[in-house]
Amino acid sequence: MSLSVPKISIGLVEDQFLFRKGMKSILGKWPNLDVIFESADGFSVMEKLKAEKKLPDVMLVDLSLPPQGQREFSGVAVVEVLREEFPSIRIIILSVHSDENFIIQLIERGAHAYLVKDSDPQEVYEAILAVHTKGSYINEKVLVAIQNNLGKKNKARTLSPAVQLTRREEEILRLICQQKTTEEIAEKLFISIKTVNGHRNNLLHKTSSRNMAGLVMYAIKNGIVTLL
């Protein structure tokens, strides 16, 4: 008797009907993914989610979404309201834009990953697994954006000093940047999962990061980890 694979519930926020249905079909090929929520706009997402009995674990959100009358309501706005109203939902931005300013902006606002729409379906799947189990997915495109953004800031002004982290917090932060799960960190450091979660929450608070992707950005900007 085979054990059932725990399903990851997925939400899709995408105004282009064919692309949304295509994504649903592609994701449906993996038995552990289940698309349970769809929206063709961003401004009605909150109301729809509040009416749902089950929330998505991971939401794939298009960056370019239609306005609400005269009011813009792009993927940036969706990220902000999701982080405020439903912080447990992990957010992956899907966009035709590979501009580094967009990438940095979305990660700083609280997105857990940023993918361009011509990404390979396998990478989308891996990003979903990563944000669900590890809290972030940082690919080469995002790393380069962080690196280039850091270079611009260094030229423009001196970075403010990093907050004071303990040696253990820095150790855990480096492991987070290596995309280790909470369980893997606990096993490697011979500490409990509860202790890892405590350090992680302290790191989020001390660095004013919204999620694990924000912690990675903080670590790179402050020289705690280096880009190869």
Side-chain angles (χ1 to χ4, degrees):
M1 182 177 177
S2 60
L3 295 174
S4 60
V5 179
K7 285 188 178 290
I8 302 173
S9 56
I10 307 295
L12 297 174
V13 183
E14 165 63 56
D15 62 316
Q16 295 182 25
F17 179 81
L18 288 179
F19 186 85
R20 190 171 73 250
K21 293 304 178 184
M23 281 298 301
K24 184 175 182 179
S25 176
I26 290 170
L27 297 177
K29 294 179 181 179
W30 281 280
N32 59 327
L33 302 185
D34 184 21
V35 178
I36 65 168
F37 179 89
E38 295 181 54
S39 180
D41 61 70
F43 53 81
S44 66
V45 165
M46 296 307 110
E47 189 175 334
K48 291 176 181 175
L49 284 175
K50 288 176 181 177
E52 293 289 326
K53 293 182 179 179
K54 177 178 172 58
L55 292 176
D57 297 309
V58 179
M59 192 86 83
L60 276 64
V61 179
D62 183 18
L63 180 58
S64 302
L65 292 168
Q68 183 183 27
Q70 298 298 314
R71 181 189 176 197
E72 290 294 326
F73 212 102
S74 67
V76 177
V78 175
V79 169
E80 290 180 336
V81 291
L82 280 177
R83 297 302 299 145
E84 181 69 25
E85 298 289 336
F86 300 98
S88 65
I89 297 177
R90 306 293 168 86
I91 308 163
I92 298 175
I93 289 293
L94 288 175
S95 174
V96 296
H97 302 289
S98 59
D99 185 280
E100 292 175 355
N101 291 324
F102 281 120
I103 297 173
I104 294 297
Q105 181 186 18
L106 268 298
I107 295 298
E108 289 182 337
R109 295 291 180 91
H112 300 82
Y114 189 107
L115 297 175
V116 292
K117 283 189 173 181
D118 63 356
S119 296
D120 187 276
Q122 182 64 34
E123 183 178 15
V124 177
Y125 175 68
E126 290 171 0
I128 290 171
L129 291 185
V131 300
H132 181 63
T133 61
K134 304 174 184 180
S136 68
Y137 176 75
I138 306 292
N139 59 12
E140 184 178 352
K141 194 177 292 292
V142 174
L143 282 174
V144 169
I146 294 172
Q147 184 179 38
N148 291 341
N149 181 259
L150 177 58
K152 291 175 185 176
K153 286 189 175 182
N154 278 336
K155 290 178 181 178
R157 56 179 170 81
T158 304
L159 284 173
S160 58
V163 297
Q164 198 67 34
L165 301 181
T166 66
R167 188 170 69 174
R168 177 63 90 187
E169 287 169 344
E170 284 198 13
E171 193 173 20
I172 289 175
L173 181 53
R174 289 190 183 95
L175 291 171
I176 288 173
C177 292
Q178 293 172 24
Q179 298 285 281
K180 300 293 185 183
T181 65
T182 301
E183 291 77 10
E184 290 170 338
I185 293 172
E187 183 177 354
K188 183 175 180 63
L189 299 181
F190 303 103
I191 57 179
S192 69
I193 290 174
K194 182 179 179 180
T195 300
V196 175
N197 285 332
H199 284 304
R200 183 190 61 192
N201 291 336
N202 286 340
L203 284 165
L204 289 168
H205 177 71
K206 282 186 173 182
T207 64
S208 300
S209 298
R210 293 174 180 264
N211 52 43
M212 297 302 102
L215 282 179
V216 173
M217 183 178 292
Y218 174 88
I220 294 171
K221 286 182 175 180
N222 290 282
I224 296 171
V225 297
T226 56
L227 296 174
L228 299 177

